[in-house]
Amino acid sequence: MADKTYNQALAIGTRVGDFEIKSILGIGGFGITYKAWDHVLHCHVAVKEFMPVEFVYRDQNKLDVTAKSEASDKEYQYGLSNFLDEARTLARFNEPNIVRVRRHMEANNTAYLVMDYEDGDSLSNFLIKKKKPLTEEQVRAIIIPILDSLRAVHAKDFLHRDIKPGNIYLRKNGSPVLIDFGSARQALGEHSKTITGIISPGYAPFEQYSPHSKQGPWTDLYAIGATMYRCITNTGKSTVKPSESIARIDAIQSGSPDPMKAAVEVGKGKYSKPFLQVIDWMLAVYAKDRPQSVKEVLDRLVDNKPALSDDVTRKVKRPASSPSNGAKFAIIGIAGLALIIGLAVGGWFLFGGSGDPRITSMLKKANKDFNAGRITSPSGKNALQRYRQILAFEPDNTSAKDGVKKIIAYYITKSGKALEKNLPTRAVSYIRKASGIDPDNIDIVGARKKIGDYYINKARKAVNNKSVNAAKAYVRAASKYLPDGSSSIKDIKKAIARIRSSSSSSSSYSSSPSGSNQYNRAMQAYNSRNFDLALKLLRPLAIRGNARAQNKVGDIYYAGHGRTRKNYAQALRWYRKAAIQGNNNAQFSLGIIYELGRGTTRNSREAEKWFLRSANQGNQYAQTALGIMYQRRKEYKTALRWYVKAAKQKNKTAYYKIGLFYEKGYGLAANRSKAISWYRFSAKRGYQKARDALRRLGAL
């Protein structure tokens, strides 16, 4: 069968739509799964082809599949219809522990399912390699996330129907994902009377052997129980499986002992009794004796409460639902990695809303910590941690949100003061702390630009002193905080090149294609940090309508250079004049002013307008700012579009953001390997946050 199926597979290199077949991942009687390359998104995907070899075949050197007979074609068309229906259903789910279906398509007289490619190994292979039973903590860490996602599937009146160790995939980070739904196979098997072809012996309950038996969540739960049973009895042999349900029911009906020993017997002394009782409960032979919903199982596994009977034949009464009020606690480890259910320090708490006195108390403690300087440390007793705990329980709590913003503002202010004291390293450390809290905060973008400008000014001074090495070092530092296309960085690099190419560096530095005109003299003064002279030379040009001069005058007023005091209203005035003429740097700066409400009322719509104008001219700052703006609104696809534009210009911040989207699953399927790839692009360009992300993911 295997050789025949491989002969029926698409050849390596075949294109199906935008996807190029790279290898065969798996084969079965109803389909073939390939590893493919997505030529649009430039990433690997898993492509599943509907290929029930009992009814169709593919001639060598051909792409289309052909029915073996007229009768086979009827069965095939029925199965194809169910395959497509299943694809449409699965595409609606976006659960972290269920394989993400991106799209489906019809081609080659069959259909294809395009899914995320997950890097890791199956639970089945993991058990074979381990050669011994898993610990209770390991089993819980695998099964509980699967159950939590399966609950969402059952809520849509959909079943998996083929849960087993081979269909639970363990990602490289240890998290499980449920793959290969079997509903379409079950439907085709029932229709064509080939039930045994779609049953997984040992994991399928008795009702799956009969097309007339009612199936429901209890059907999948039997398979979950059998999978857990396999985990606690594992010897490493692939042939060792739980006893088949049909053999078990025959034995029970004939008065013989159940051929499968109860979990409470085989796991006695090695696992907690409530844990083993849950397994036996799910493995009850008769559907009515099993839990009827995932919630019932999770209530027992999380609370670790016992079932009401130890009946080894699993004719177990269904326990009453556990209480949902009060505090619940569960910490589950896997191979030394803690899996924490819920978001709280030391446990999982269920709070009752903004009127809950515990939230009020926590707010008071958070404010007290902030005033005492316990901003982000010590662990377990700091303002940020308390605010985040509150938001975990009540996401719209205004006081907690304001508290987080206050902490970010605190670090940004500290960063600015550090720059004023000529302490850039300290300034950078404060911004890193702020970025770690909310990397999308628009104020952080402006603060990072200030650090970049600080190093640019240092580089200009070094250029004026003809210190090429120092200038290069400052440019490298500035490039970590300014986009690659920054005109300031380009100007410094050109100046360095002039110094190197001419013994008369001063003459080389002052020359330009437009000659030694007033603007160039003004910029020489500006680059020499003689801002008062620069403003004196720039102002007449700005008044006469020179957009570049208007933009620079705006910069001087915005930053308060020289003896000129900060004046956001004046900065806005000059930026607007330059922006109207199409100066993209001024358009970006105007967007920042409106977004932050500097010198005017905060106006996000006006900010968005100017960011868009600047971004459409290719300004990387503006493209990144738009990405952040849309990301904050949770318009992830639009945000991603702008990040991609900036990334095409090799913008390290955009690289990082795209990596973050893949890690968190913002607007696309979460994909750890892709996240790491994008983080690495960013880290190679010196972006510290990307290095931190790689370290967090264990990929550095």
Side-chain angles (χ1 to χ4, degrees), residues 189-218:
E190 291 173 357
H191 189 265
S192 61
K193 313 302 181 186
T194 56
I195 291 295
T196 55
I198 49 82
I199 291 297
S200 293
Y203 301 97
F206 177 71
E207 62 264 25
Q208 280 191 268
Y209 286 84
S210 170
H212 305 295
S213 297
K214 184 179 180 181
Q215 298 181 33
W218 52 88

mmCIF file of all heavy atoms in Angstrom, residues 189-218:
data_model
loop_
_atom_site.group_PDB
_atom_site.id
_atom_site.type_symbol
_atom_site.label_atom_id
_atom_site.label_comp_id
_atom_site.label_asym_id
_atom_site.label_seq_id
_atom_site.Cartn_x
_atom_site.Cartn_y
_atom_site.Cartn_z
ATOM 1 N N GLY A 189 -16.281 6.762 4.982
ATOM 2 C CA GLY A 189 -16.274 5.355 5.395
ATOM 3 C C GLY A 189 -17.659 4.836 5.667
ATOM 4 O O GLY A 189 -18.019 3.718 5.279
ATOM 5 N N GLU A 190 -18.482 5.649 6.342
ATOM 6 C CA GLU A 190 -19.853 5.240 6.642
ATOM 7 C C GLU A 190 -20.670 5.121 5.356
ATOM 8 O O GLU A 190 -21.466 4.201 5.174
ATOM 9 C CB GLU A 190 -20.500 6.260 7.582
ATOM 10 C CG GLU A 190 -19.903 6.238 8.982
ATOM 11 C CD GLU A 190 -20.440 7.357 9.849
ATOM 12 O OE1 GLU A 190 -21.234 8.180 9.333
ATOM 13 O OE2 GLU A 190 -20.066 7.430 11.037
ATOM 14 N N HIS A 191 -20.434 6.069 4.443
ATOM 15 C CA HIS A 191 -21.205 6.083 3.192
ATOM 16 C C HIS A 191 -20.838 4.899 2.297
ATOM 17 O O HIS A 191 -21.698 4.317 1.630
ATOM 18 C CB HIS A 191 -20.955 7.400 2.454
ATOM 19 C CG HIS A 191 -21.847 7.611 1.269
ATOM 20 N ND1 HIS A 191 -21.466 7.278 -0.012
ATOM 21 C CD2 HIS A 191 -23.106 8.111 1.176
ATOM 22 C CE1 HIS A 191 -22.445 7.580 -0.855
ATOM 23 N NE2 HIS A 191 -23.458 8.086 -0.153
ATOM 24 N N SER A 192 -19.526 4.542 2.306
ATOM 25 C CA SER A 192 -19.069 3.473 1.414
ATOM 26 C C SER A 192 -19.004 2.112 2.102
ATOM 27 O O SER A 192 -18.545 1.143 1.515
ATOM 28 C CB SER A 192 -17.679 3.815 0.857
ATOM 29 O OG SER A 192 -16.746 3.929 1.916
ATOM 30 N N LYS A 193 -19.425 2.080 3.397
ATOM 31 C CA LYS A 193 -19.438 0.832 4.175
ATOM 32 C C LYS A 193 -18.033 0.277 4.390
ATOM 33 O O LYS A 193 -17.820 -0.927 4.454
ATOM 34 C CB LYS A 193 -20.301 -0.252 3.482
ATOM 35 C CG LYS A 193 -21.655 0.232 3.013
ATOM 36 C CD LYS A 193 -22.500 0.798 4.139
ATOM 37 C CE LYS A 193 -23.872 1.251 3.612
ATOM 38 N NZ LYS A 193 -24.655 1.947 4.660
ATOM 39 N N THR A 194 -17.037 1.169 4.489
ATOM 40 C CA THR A 194 -15.667 0.712 4.744
ATOM 41 C C THR A 194 -15.195 1.298 6.066
ATOM 42 O O THR A 194 -14.188 1.967 6.155
ATOM 43 C CB THR A 194 -14.709 1.150 3.612
ATOM 44 O OG1 THR A 194 -14.790 2.581 3.479
ATOM 45 C CG2 THR A 194 -15.065 0.497 2.305
ATOM 46 N N ILE A 195 -15.986 1.054 7.100
ATOM 47 C CA ILE A 195 -15.731 1.643 8.411
ATOM 48 C C ILE A 195 -14.323 1.323 8.923
ATOM 49 O O ILE A 195 -13.636 2.181 9.447
ATOM 50 C CB ILE A 195 -16.770 1.137 9.428
ATOM 51 C CG1 ILE A 195 -18.138 1.720 9.092
ATOM 52 C CG2 ILE A 195 -16.380 1.521 10.853
ATOM 53 C CD1 ILE A 195 -18.227 3.215 9.243
ATOM 54 N N THR A 196 -13.885 0.095 8.754
ATOM 55 C CA THR A 196 -12.600 -0.295 9.340
ATOM 56 C C THR A 196 -11.445 0.497 8.753
ATOM 57 O O THR A 196 -10.390 0.608 9.374
ATOM 58 C CB THR A 196 -12.352 -1.797 9.125
ATOM 59 O OG1 THR A 196 -12.451 -2.103 7.726
ATOM 60 C CG2 THR A 196 -13.361 -2.620 9.899
ATOM 61 N N GLY A 197 -11.630 1.049 7.588
ATOM 62 C CA GLY A 197 -10.555 1.822 6.960
ATOM 63 C C GLY A 197 -10.296 3.141 7.639
ATOM 64 O O GLY A 197 -9.237 3.736 7.452
ATOM 65 N N ILE A 198 -11.267 3.625 8.433
ATOM 66 C CA ILE A 198 -11.082 4.940 9.040
ATOM 67 C C ILE A 198 -11.056 4.865 10.563
ATOM 68 O O ILE A 198 -11.054 5.877 11.238
ATOM 69 C CB ILE A 198 -12.193 5.910 8.566
ATOM 70 C CG1 ILE A 198 -13.610 5.302 8.699
ATOM 71 C CG2 ILE A 198 -11.979 6.325 7.142
ATOM 72 C CD1 ILE A 198 -14.222 5.387 10.023
ATOM 73 N N ILE A 199 -11.030 3.673 11.111
ATOM 74 C CA ILE A 199 -11.001 3.506 12.561
ATOM 75 C C ILE A 199 -9.551 3.337 13.024
ATOM 76 O O ILE A 199 -8.764 2.638 12.393
ATOM 77 C CB ILE A 199 -11.830 2.271 12.972
ATOM 78 C CG1 ILE A 199 -13.318 2.535 12.726
ATOM 79 C CG2 ILE A 199 -11.589 1.915 14.428
ATOM 80 C CD1 ILE A 199 -13.883 3.663 13.563
ATOM 81 N N SER A 200 -9.230 3.977 14.153
ATOM 82 C CA SER A 200 -7.910 3.785 14.774
ATOM 83 C C SER A 200 -8.097 2.845 15.958
ATOM 84 O O SER A 200 -8.554 3.275 17.028
ATOM 85 C CB SER A 200 -7.334 5.121 15.240
ATOM 86 O OG SER A 200 -7.045 5.956 14.135
ATOM 87 N N PRO A 201 -7.813 1.556 15.784
ATOM 88 C CA PRO A 201 -8.038 0.571 16.853
ATOM 89 C C PRO A 201 -7.344 0.972 18.155
ATOM 90 O O PRO A 201 -6.193 1.407 18.158
ATOM 91 C CB PRO A 201 -7.419 -0.713 16.277
ATOM 92 C CG PRO A 201 -7.471 -0.517 14.799
ATOM 93 C CD PRO A 201 -7.225 0.938 14.578
ATOM 94 N N GLY A 202 -8.074 0.821 19.246
ATOM 95 C CA GLY A 202 -7.541 1.167 20.545
ATOM 96 C C GLY A 202 -7.912 2.567 20.988
ATOM 97 O O GLY A 202 -7.951 2.860 22.182
ATOM 98 N N TYR A 203 -8.203 3.437 20.016
ATOM 99 C CA TYR A 203 -8.524 4.832 20.333
ATOM 100 C C TYR A 203 -9.957 5.201 19.944
ATOM 101 O O TYR A 203 -10.481 6.223 20.396
ATOM 102 C CB TYR A 203 -7.534 5.774 19.630
ATOM 103 C CG TYR A 203 -6.106 5.497 20.043
ATOM 104 C CD1 TYR A 203 -5.278 4.695 19.263
ATOM 105 C CD2 TYR A 203 -5.598 5.995 21.242
ATOM 106 C CE1 TYR A 203 -3.976 4.399 19.658
ATOM 107 C CE2 TYR A 203 -4.298 5.712 21.643
ATOM 108 C CZ TYR A 203 -3.489 4.910 20.845
ATOM 109 O OH TYR A 203 -2.213 4.618 21.252
ATOM 110 N N ALA A 204 -10.584 4.391 19.096
ATOM 111 C CA ALA A 204 -11.957 4.651 18.670
ATOM 112 C C ALA A 204 -12.944 3.945 19.596
ATOM 113 O O ALA A 204 -12.817 2.745 19.848
ATOM 114 C CB ALA A 204 -12.157 4.171 17.235
ATOM 115 N N PRO A 205 -13.936 4.661 20.110
ATOM 116 C CA PRO A 205 -14.951 4.015 20.960
ATOM 117 C C PRO A 205 -15.891 3.162 20.123
ATOM 118 O O PRO A 205 -15.897 3.248 18.883
ATOM 119 C CB PRO A 205 -15.670 5.203 21.597
ATOM 120 C CG PRO A 205 -15.532 6.297 20.588
ATOM 121 C CD PRO A 205 -14.179 6.109 19.970
ATOM 122 N N PHE A 206 -16.707 2.395 20.801
ATOM 123 C CA PHE A 206 -17.580 1.438 20.122
ATOM 124 C C PHE A 206 -18.527 2.112 19.130
ATOM 125 O O PHE A 206 -18.811 1.561 18.057
ATOM 126 C CB PHE A 206 -18.389 0.653 21.164
ATOM 127 C CG PHE A 206 -19.367 -0.314 20.561
ATOM 128 C CD1 PHE A 206 -18.920 -1.464 19.923
ATOM 129 C CD2 PHE A 206 -20.741 -0.072 20.612
ATOM 130 C CE1 PHE A 206 -19.821 -2.360 19.357
ATOM 131 C CE2 PHE A 206 -21.637 -0.971 20.044
ATOM 132 C CZ PHE A 206 -21.183 -2.114 19.416
ATOM 133 N N GLU A 207 -19.023 3.310 19.457
ATOM 134 C CA GLU A 207 -20.016 3.950 18.579
ATOM 135 C C GLU A 207 -19.448 4.305 17.207
ATOM 136 O O GLU A 207 -20.186 4.486 16.239
ATOM 137 C CB GLU A 207 -20.618 5.200 19.232
ATOM 138 C CG GLU A 207 -19.631 6.323 19.536
ATOM 139 C CD GLU A 207 -19.133 6.271 20.953
ATOM 140 O OE1 GLU A 207 -19.152 5.167 21.543
ATOM 141 O OE2 GLU A 207 -18.705 7.325 21.468
ATOM 142 N N GLN A 208 -18.107 4.421 17.079
ATOM 143 C CA GLN A 208 -17.527 4.747 15.779
ATOM 144 C C GLN A 208 -17.521 3.538 14.842
ATOM 145 O O GLN A 208 -17.304 3.687 13.638
ATOM 146 C CB GLN A 208 -16.100 5.288 15.941
ATOM 147 C CG GLN A 208 -16.064 6.761 16.346
ATOM 148 C CD GLN A 208 -14.674 7.361 16.242
ATOM 149 O OE1 GLN A 208 -13.927 7.359 17.201
ATOM 150 N NE2 GLN A 208 -14.333 7.868 15.080
ATOM 151 N N TYR A 209 -17.765 2.359 15.371
ATOM 152 C CA TYR A 209 -17.816 1.165 14.530
ATOM 153 C C TYR A 209 -19.188 0.993 13.884
ATOM 154 O O TYR A 209 -19.354 0.153 13.007
ATOM 155 C CB TYR A 209 -17.489 -0.086 15.358
ATOM 156 C CG TYR A 209 -16.031 -0.219 15.712
ATOM 157 C CD1 TYR A 209 -15.500 0.436 16.815
ATOM 158 C CD2 TYR A 209 -15.176 -1.008 14.942
ATOM 159 C CE1 TYR A 209 -14.164 0.313 17.156
ATOM 160 C CE2 TYR A 209 -13.832 -1.142 15.268
ATOM 161 C CZ TYR A 209 -13.335 -0.473 16.381
ATOM 162 O OH TYR A 209 -12.007 -0.600 16.705
ATOM 163 N N SER A 210 -20.129 1.779 14.338
ATOM 164 C CA SER A 210 -21.484 1.641 13.810
ATOM 165 C C SER A 210 -21.970 2.981 13.251
ATOM 166 O O SER A 210 -21.982 3.987 13.964
ATOM 167 C CB SER A 210 -22.447 1.186 14.913
ATOM 168 O OG SER A 210 -23.787 1.264 14.465
ATOM 169 N N PRO A 211 -22.385 3.024 11.979
ATOM 170 C CA PRO A 211 -22.862 4.275 11.388
ATOM 171 C C PRO A 211 -24.177 4.744 11.995
ATOM 172 O O PRO A 211 -24.589 5.883 11.773
ATOM 173 C CB PRO A 211 -23.016 3.918 9.905
ATOM 174 C CG PRO A 211 -23.235 2.447 9.880
ATOM 175 C CD PRO A 211 -22.413 1.900 11.015
ATOM 176 N N HIS A 212 -24.842 3.885 12.754
ATOM 177 C CA HIS A 212 -26.147 4.250 13.309
ATOM 178 C C HIS A 212 -26.047 4.745 14.760
ATOM 179 O O HIS A 212 -27.039 5.198 15.326
ATOM 180 C CB HIS A 212 -27.101 3.049 13.236
ATOM 181 C CG HIS A 212 -27.244 2.479 11.857
ATOM 182 N ND1 HIS A 212 -27.808 3.193 10.819
ATOM 183 C CD2 HIS A 212 -26.862 1.269 11.339
ATOM 184 C CE1 HIS A 212 -27.780 2.442 9.717
ATOM 185 N NE2 HIS A 212 -27.220 1.277 10.009
ATOM 186 N N SER A 213 -24.861 4.634 15.355
ATOM 187 C CA SER A 213 -24.691 5.073 16.743
ATOM 188 C C SER A 213 -24.469 6.586 16.801
ATOM 189 O O SER A 213 -23.791 7.158 15.945
ATOM 190 C CB SER A 213 -23.496 4.359 17.388
ATOM 191 O OG SER A 213 -23.727 2.968 17.443
ATOM 192 N N LYS A 214 -25.032 7.197 17.819
ATOM 193 C CA LYS A 214 -24.883 8.642 17.999
ATOM 194 C C LYS A 214 -23.476 8.957 18.504
ATOM 195 O O LYS A 214 -22.975 8.334 19.422
ATOM 196 C CB LYS A 214 -25.930 9.160 18.989
ATOM 197 C CG LYS A 214 -25.906 10.668 19.153
ATOM 198 C CD LYS A 214 -26.979 11.136 20.126
ATOM 199 C CE LYS A 214 -26.937 12.655 20.288
ATOM 200 N NZ LYS A 214 -27.962 13.130 21.254
ATOM 201 N N GLN A 215 -22.856 9.950 17.871
ATOM 202 C CA GLN A 215 -21.535 10.394 18.281
ATOM 203 C C GLN A 215 -21.602 11.828 18.782
ATOM 204 O O GLN A 215 -22.475 12.597 18.393
ATOM 205 C CB GLN A 215 -20.536 10.286 17.124
ATOM 206 C CG GLN A 215 -20.345 8.856 16.629
ATOM 207 C CD GLN A 215 -19.335 8.760 15.503
ATOM 208 O OE1 GLN A 215 -18.377 9.515 15.450
ATOM 209 N NE2 GLN A 215 -19.565 7.817 14.594
ATOM 210 N N GLY A 216 -20.670 12.181 19.648
ATOM 211 C CA GLY A 216 -20.655 13.518 20.218
ATOM 212 C C GLY A 216 -19.327 13.772 20.909
ATOM 213 O O GLY A 216 -18.357 13.020 20.713
ATOM 214 N N PRO A 217 -19.241 14.814 21.744
ATOM 215 C CA PRO A 217 -17.991 15.106 22.456
ATOM 216 C C PRO A 217 -17.444 13.894 23.196
ATOM 217 O O PRO A 217 -16.224 13.726 23.311
ATOM 218 C CB PRO A 217 -18.393 16.226 23.420
ATOM 219 C CG PRO A 217 -19.533 16.914 22.736
ATOM 220 C CD PRO A 217 -20.290 15.819 22.038
ATOM 221 N N TRP A 218 -18.328 13.060 23.715
ATOM 222 C CA TRP A 218 -17.904 11.857 24.436
ATOM 223 C C TRP A 218 -17.093 10.909 23.558
ATOM 224 O O TRP A 218 -16.291 10.126 24.057
ATOM 225 C CB TRP A 218 -19.129 11.134 25.016
ATOM 226 C CG TRP A 218 -20.204 10.872 23.977
ATOM 227 C CD1 TRP A 218 -20.313 9.799 23.157
ATOM 228 C CD2 TRP A 218 -21.292 11.731 23.643
ATOM 229 N NE1 TRP A 218 -21.402 9.917 22.325
ATOM 230 C CE2 TRP A 218 -22.035 11.100 22.609
ATOM 231 C CE3 TRP A 218 -21.732 12.969 24.117
ATOM 232 C CZ2 TRP A 218 -23.171 11.672 22.043
ATOM 233 C CZ3 TRP A 218 -22.873 13.537 23.549
ATOM 234 C CH2 TRP A 218 -23.579 12.886 22.525
#
